[in-house]
Amino acid sequence: MHNLLYAYSPGGVFNGDSTDYLATYPGDQWVDVLGYDEYDSDDSADDSSAWINTVVKDMKMVSDQASQRGKIVALTEFGRSGERKFKESGTGDKDTKFFSELAEALAENVPSTAYMMTWANFGGGGDNFQAYTPWKGSDGEADFKAFADSNKNLMASKDNVDYSNAPAAAMQNGSARIVTPVDGNRVTDTKVVVRVKTEGVKYSDLDLNSAIVTTDRGQNVKLKYSCNGYFTGILDLNAAGINLDQSKLTLTPQVKTKDGKTLAAADGNGSVTVKLVPNQSRR
């Protein structure tokens, strides 16, 4: 699907360490929004200043990464949980200015933050009670209303949010990659099915006659469009004069759009290298 924004949103805390934060990052070509999830669950303190300082430190790091990569930055999930969650009675909660304090800290220190998202009030009762925002009549109602009406609150309203510092999302230029065979496969058949997947480009923009896979030995394998962005072809090793002799063979996709542009590879140059292994059952 290409009508959605995809957010990278691991759970914190990262202590400002971008290497730790990016440990499971799938790559710039798959992500539009950089964010992370963090909940205040320590109810020992009277206010949330220590937790907010941790969030600001990590959000600065996330913002730096977003700026470098041309991504949107957001606090993709936050709230109060565990011992710090809002009480079912609506009274006795510590730090009733939780939302306004967090919003002010982000507005001052990470102004590029495009949005911040918390969960809904699911209700329930007893140990199963879940509420992530104050409600009418609860201790935090007044502050939450002020937060919602604030011009610094980072909520999804053009009147309340300054988006001028938010970096633009990177454009999707389309990509092509070999999905069959996969890198490192052992090939034992002289006829090799080759499948290429295109992404980030409309079917109507593809030059269907341009799709080929090249080998590092000079062969071109013509591909035919099937469906859902996939092209398929057959590499006949016998016809190409390639033997199953324990050697390696590298395949590289090449697909163009109608305006003559070659789709970039999703990773590296999109090549896969396979090992050509004699089929022992044929001996």
Side-chain angles (χ1 to χ4, degrees):
M1 298 180 68
H2 304 292
N3 60 334
L4 302 175
L5 293 180
Y6 291 88
Y8 175 66
S9 181
V13 175
F14 299 100
N15 294 311
D17 185 344
S18 61
T19 300
D20 189 17
Y21 171 69
L22 295 169
T24 57
Y25 188 61
D28 288 343
Q29 67 271 29
W30 307 112
V31 174
D32 304 293
V33 179
L34 290 186
Y36 87 113
D37 301 355
E38 176 60 9
Y39 283 79
D40 185 4
S41 58
D42 182 7
D43 205 35
S44 62
D46 290 331
D47 62 35
S48 298
S49 58
W51 179 82
I52 289 173
N53 289 339
T54 298
V55 171
V56 167
K57 183 177 182 179
D58 279 338
M59 283 296 290
K60 283 183 175 180
M61 175 271 293
V62 173
S63 179
D64 288 343
Q65 289 297 316
S67 180
Q68 293 173 28
R69 299 168 185 274
K71 308 298 180 184
I72 298 168
V73 60
L75 182 53
T76 41
E77 189 178 319
F78 78 98
R80 298 167 60 136
S81 65
E83 296 298 319
R84 194 73 161 180
K85 71 179 182 180
F86 291 111
K87 295 178 176 60
E88 185 177 0
S89 64
T91 61
D93 293 314
K94 294 181 179 179
D95 193 5
T96 57
K97 295 185 177 181
F98 172 80
F99 286 92
S100 59
E101 290 168 347
L102 175 60
E104 289 172 5
L106 289 178
E108 179 180 353
N109 295 283
V110 197
S112 56
T113 305
Y115 70 88
M116 51 198 289
M117 186 190 78
T118 191
W119 281 100
N121 290 355
F122 297 107
D127 292 340
N128 295 321
F129 178 75
Q130 294 185 67
Y132 294 92
T133 60
W135 57 94
K136 188 175 180 62
S138 66
D139 285 350
E141 178 190 0
D143 180 68
F144 189 71
K145 288 179 67 175
F147 164 78
D149 294 336
S150 169
N151 61 2
K152 297 180 180 178
N153 64 18
L154 306 181
M155 294 182 73
S157 167
K158 64 180 181 180
D159 298 324
N160 293 338
V161 182
D162 177 11
Y163 289 101
S164 61
N165 291 313
M171 294 294 292
Q172 290 284 349
N173 295 317
S175 62
R177 59 189 173 94
I178 295 176
V179 294
T180 306
V182 299
D183 193 54
N185 260 178
R186 292 160 56 92
V187 171
T188 59
D189 198 310
T190 57
K191 291 190 176 181
V192 183
V193 176
V194 181
R195 298 171 70 234
V196 170
K197 179 73 166 75
T198 59
E199 296 172 308
V201 60
K202 296 179 180 178
Y203 168 81
S204 58
D205 291 334
L206 288 169
D207 180 355
L208 302 183
N209 295 317
S210 70
I212 61 172
V213 163
T214 65
T215 76
D216 59 351
R217 304 188 191 184
Q219 291 81 20
N220 291 337
V221 181
K222 184 71 175 177
L223 304 177
K224 183 178 180 180
Y225 187 84
S226 53
C227 64
N228 298 325
Y230 285 93
F231 288 84
T232 304
I234 301 292
L235 170 58
D236 188 330
L237 297 180
N238 286 338
I242 299 174
N243 298 318
L244 297 172
D245 56 3
Q246 301 290 349
S247 62
K248 293 182 178 180
L249 181 69
T250 298
L251 310 174
T252 303
Q254 180 178 297
V255 183
K256 295 183 178 181
T257 55
K258 289 180 179 178
D259 59 3
K261 294 180 180 178
T262 300
L263 296 183
D267 296 292
N269 64 358
S271 298
V272 300
T273 298
V274 297
K275 186 173 184 179
L276 306 174
V277 180
N279 190 334
Q280 301 296 329
S281 64
R282 294 184 178 180
R283 292 189 172 184

